[in-house]
């Protein structure tokens, strides 16, 4: 487990270096990095819409607009883990802010459903949503999250739902503080895109089959190299004879 963790840390550390190399040598490719992360689709009729915690300046407003436009019937809210400021009463929790936004934007309180559990990551968000979908096997849900976050959200919920993933759609909300085509020109954009690629790699290796594929690739390479050396040795021995 320790070796796996060290390997993941090494891969994550390499992501900023790769991004820097792209920035220096191939600036025309930089917009593609953000574009690749965005897998959002066009809105369609669903039973529920879920704005993932984080970025309350955009995600809840997009979700409320979907309800008001008739694309969704109800709103789901995930409770996020309380921060020290929330525990001290300095600021309200994000899920309460989200609920207030819905109410201000005209979503009736009876159409707002607060899910059980507390989330501290995208993985936890998707686990809570997966439990809800298991309990509601006919429900269709649209997930609203920042454009740069859509690929990891889709991959994570897909790991939990399998074929039931067809009941879930992903809607892109505006990225916080930067444009996807110019993400490297702002501090917020550079941080979000580089960090998101690193997180995606980490999720793939920690929770997916990435490590297995990597191990298989290394093993295959070792076998090919060994066979090539054996063949070369036989050729030398034949020539010497």
């Amino acid at each position: 487990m320790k070796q796996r963790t060290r390997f993941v840390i090494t891969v994550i550390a390499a992501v900023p270096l790769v991004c820097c190399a792209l920035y220096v040598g191939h600036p025309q490719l930089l917009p593609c990095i953000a574009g690749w992360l965005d897998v959002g689709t066009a809105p369609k009729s669903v039973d529920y819409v879920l704005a993932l915690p984080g970025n309350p300046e955009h995600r809840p407003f997009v979700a409320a607009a979907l309800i008001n436009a008739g694309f969704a019937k109800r709103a789901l809210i995930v409770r996020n883990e309380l921060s020290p400021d929330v525990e001290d009463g300095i600021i309200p929790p994000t899920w309460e802010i989200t609920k207030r936004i819905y109410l201000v934007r005209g979503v009736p309180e009876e159409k707002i459903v607060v899910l059980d559990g507390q989330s501290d990551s995208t993985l936890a968000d998707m686990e809570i949503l997966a439990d809800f979908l298991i309990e509601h096997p006919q429900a269709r849900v649209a997930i609203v999250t920042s454009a740069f976050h859509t690929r990891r959200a889709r991959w994570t919920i897909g790991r939990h739902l399998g074929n039931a993933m067809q009941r879930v759609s992903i809607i892109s909300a505006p990225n916080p503080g930067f444009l996807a085509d110019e993400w490297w020109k702002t501090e917020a954009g550079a941080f979000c895109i580089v960090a998101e690629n690193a997180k995606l790699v980490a999720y793939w290796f920690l929770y997916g089959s990435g490590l297995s594929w990597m191990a298989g690739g290394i093993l295959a390479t070792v076998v090919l190299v060994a066979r090539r050396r054996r063949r070369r040795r036989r050729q030398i021995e034949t020539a010497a004879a």
Side-chain angles (χ1 to χ4, degrees), residues 5-229:
T5 301
R6 284 197 294 267
F7 179 76
V8 171
I9 292 174
T10 301
V11 172
I12 293 174
V15 171
L17 297 178
V18 173
C19 291
C20 289
L22 287 172
Y23 178 77
V24 173
H26 304 283
Q28 67 274 19
L29 297 178
L30 292 176
C32 298
I33 297 177
W36 179 78
L37 292 174
D38 185 2
V39 294
T41 60
K44 59 184 179 180
S45 180
V46 295
D47 300 298
Y48 300 90
V49 61
L50 168 64
L52 294 185
N55 187 222
E57 297 85 1
H58 296 98
R59 299 177 187 177
F61 289 95
V62 173
L66 292 174
I67 294 176
N68 292 332
F71 285 107
K73 299 174 182 177
R74 296 180 178 84
L76 299 176
I77 295 179
V78 173
R79 287 191 178 93
N80 54 300
E81 199 170 64
L82 301 182
S83 67
D85 287 342
V86 173
E87 291 179 341
D88 292 340
I90 299 174
I91 59 174
T94 301
W95 72 268
E96 282 192 5
I97 295 175
T98 298
K99 183 176 181 179
R100 293 178 189 178
I101 292 173
Y102 286 149
L103 294 173
V104 170
R105 301 300 291 181
V107 178
E109 187 162 4
E110 59 269 20
K111 291 187 176 182
I112 301 173
V113 180
V114 181
L115 300 177
D116 294 330
Q118 282 193 342
S119 170
D120 60 356
S121 65
T122 298
L123 179 64
D125 293 338
M126 298 300 100
E127 288 175 345
I128 293 172
L129 176 59
D131 290 341
F132 175 83
L133 289 171
I134 291 173
E135 295 173 359
H136 301 76
Q138 303 302 319
R140 295 162 300 164
V141 177
I143 298 174
V144 175
T145 188
S146 303
F148 75 89
H149 184 236
T150 52
R151 180 172 289 275
R152 183 157 56 100
R154 187 184 69 174
W155 183 89
T156 307
I157 191 63
R159 292 283 299 173
H160 288 283
L161 294 182
N163 292 334
M165 181 62 187
Q166 60 186 345
R167 294 192 284 128
V168 177
S169 57
I170 309 290
I171 308 296
S172 298
N175 290 319
F178 67 95
L179 299 175
D181 291 341
E182 301 178 345
W183 62 267
W184 63 94
K185 295 182 179 180
T186 65
E187 183 177 350
F191 175 81
C192 284
I193 298 302
V194 173
E196 185 60 28
N197 277 284
K199 290 177 183 178
L200 188 59
V201 171
Y203 268 53
W204 190 55
F205 278 96
L206 289 173
Y207 310 120
S209 57
L211 190 58
S212 299
W213 281 105
M214 180 66 74
I218 293 174
L219 179 60
T221 301
V222 171
V223 171
L224 289 174
V225 170
R227 295 177 77 176
R228 180 173 295 180
R229 287 181 176 178

